[in-house]
Amino acid sequence: MKPIETRLAKLARKGDQRAFAEIVDLYKDKLYHLAYRMMNNRQEAEDVVQECFLRVYRNLDRYDENQKFSTWIYRIATNLCIDRLRKRRPIYSLDAESSEHEGLDGYAMLPSDDRTPESELILSETQRIIRDAIDTLPVKYKSVMVLRYLQDMSLQEISDVLDMPVTTIKTRVHRGREFLRKKLEHKL
């Protein structure tokens, strides 16, 4: 018996809109979390997810049913993130503390979008330091580290998503950890 995603993809390929809607429901949150971890920007993450589903819909006929659907869709999302990160120009970091207002970061200067002071306090300092360190990783390490530790994928799954040998993935995970260790050793 084939996994549900494969059956849904087959139905969607035949024009079943409800089947495609179920695929979107199954993956929208997972892909958003992946994209947000890589892009560190809510709007860009939403754009990546939307573009990912557009590409999935347009390319359903290219999906190989012998391959895991999750691997295929994660590969599309990861590649979209990597492409955007490569094209990204340096931008002002909203996480940086404001030089004009001590103790406030850029987020505090933005108009609220359902954020409350209580919800802002929930973010711990350690998580922010780690997120900042992950953001400084080179793209080739960042994608592997996000998939491994934030999406909890196995090395084989990452290898399938990125279409690279497992040995390359192991090397990048190791180098990414070393990079983070050096970056964080004096901050934590």
Side-chain angles (χ1 to χ4, degrees):
M1 186 165 164
K2 295 201 178 224
I4 188 159
E5 295 98 333
T6 304
R7 291 194 306 259
L8 290 171
K10 191 181 273 189
L11 290 170
R13 191 180 295 153
K14 293 177 183 173
D16 186 335
Q17 295 298 312
R18 282 185 286 174
F20 188 75
E22 283 189 54
I23 291 171
V24 171
D25 260 1
L26 283 171
Y27 283 96
K28 67 182 176 188
D29 292 337
K30 295 173 185 172
L31 294 177
Y32 174 80
H33 291 295
L34 166 71
Y36 183 78
R37 298 289 186 170
M38 290 192 66
M39 306 306 298
N40 200 26
N41 179 295
R42 187 172 53 89
Q43 185 62 47
E44 279 192 280
E46 290 170 358
D47 290 348
V48 165
V49 172
Q50 186 174 15
E51 178 66 22
C52 180
F53 284 122
L54 283 171
R55 287 195 184 182
V56 166
Y57 187 77
R58 281 191 224 126
N59 295 298
L60 272 171
D61 57 322
R62 294 172 133 186
Y63 167 61
D64 177 5
E65 292 176 17
N66 297 319
Q67 182 184 33
K68 282 177 66 176
F69 186 82
S70 61
T71 300
W72 185 65
I73 198 166
Y74 271 109
R75 177 181 291 158
I76 293 169
T78 302
N79 286 341
L80 285 168
C81 288
I82 290 170
D83 289 346
R84 280 179 173 257
L85 286 169
R86 285 183 180 144
K87 292 176 187 172
R88 188 187 269 182
R89 292 188 180 114
I91 56 172
Y92 171 76
S93 172
L94 292 175
D95 290 323
E97 190 173 301
S98 170
S99 58
E100 297 172 20
H101 302 87
E102 190 173 310
L104 295 178
D105 60 12
Y107 290 111
M109 305 300 171
L110 294 176
S112 174
D113 61 342
D114 294 331
R115 291 178 181 226
T116 63
E118 293 83 13
S119 68
E120 289 298 314
L121 287 175
I122 292 173
L123 291 175
S124 74
E125 184 63 21
T126 303
Q127 288 174 324
R128 196 176 78 169
I129 291 169
I130 292 171
R131 186 181 68 233
D132 290 347
I134 289 173
D135 284 344
T136 65
L137 284 171
V139 173
K140 67 182 183 178
Y141 300 134
K142 183 177 184 177
S143 59
V144 171
M145 297 301 280
V146 167
L147 291 170
R148 178 74 176 128
Y149 294 108
L150 303 178
Q151 294 298 315
D152 203 28
M153 288 187 164
S154 70
L155 296 174
Q156 183 60 54
E157 288 172 321
I158 298 169
S159 169
D160 294 341
V161 167
L162 298 178
D163 198 25
M164 293 179 186
V166 174
T167 53
T168 303
I169 300 301
K170 285 181 184 177
T171 301
R172 289 187 179 184
V173 166
H174 175 72
R175 289 182 180 159
R177 277 196 308 238
E178 283 300 305
F179 185 93
L180 288 175
R181 185 183 59 73
K182 289 176 183 170
K183 192 86 171 164
L184 296 171
E185 68 187 348
H186 298 295
K187 294 184 179 183
L188 296 178

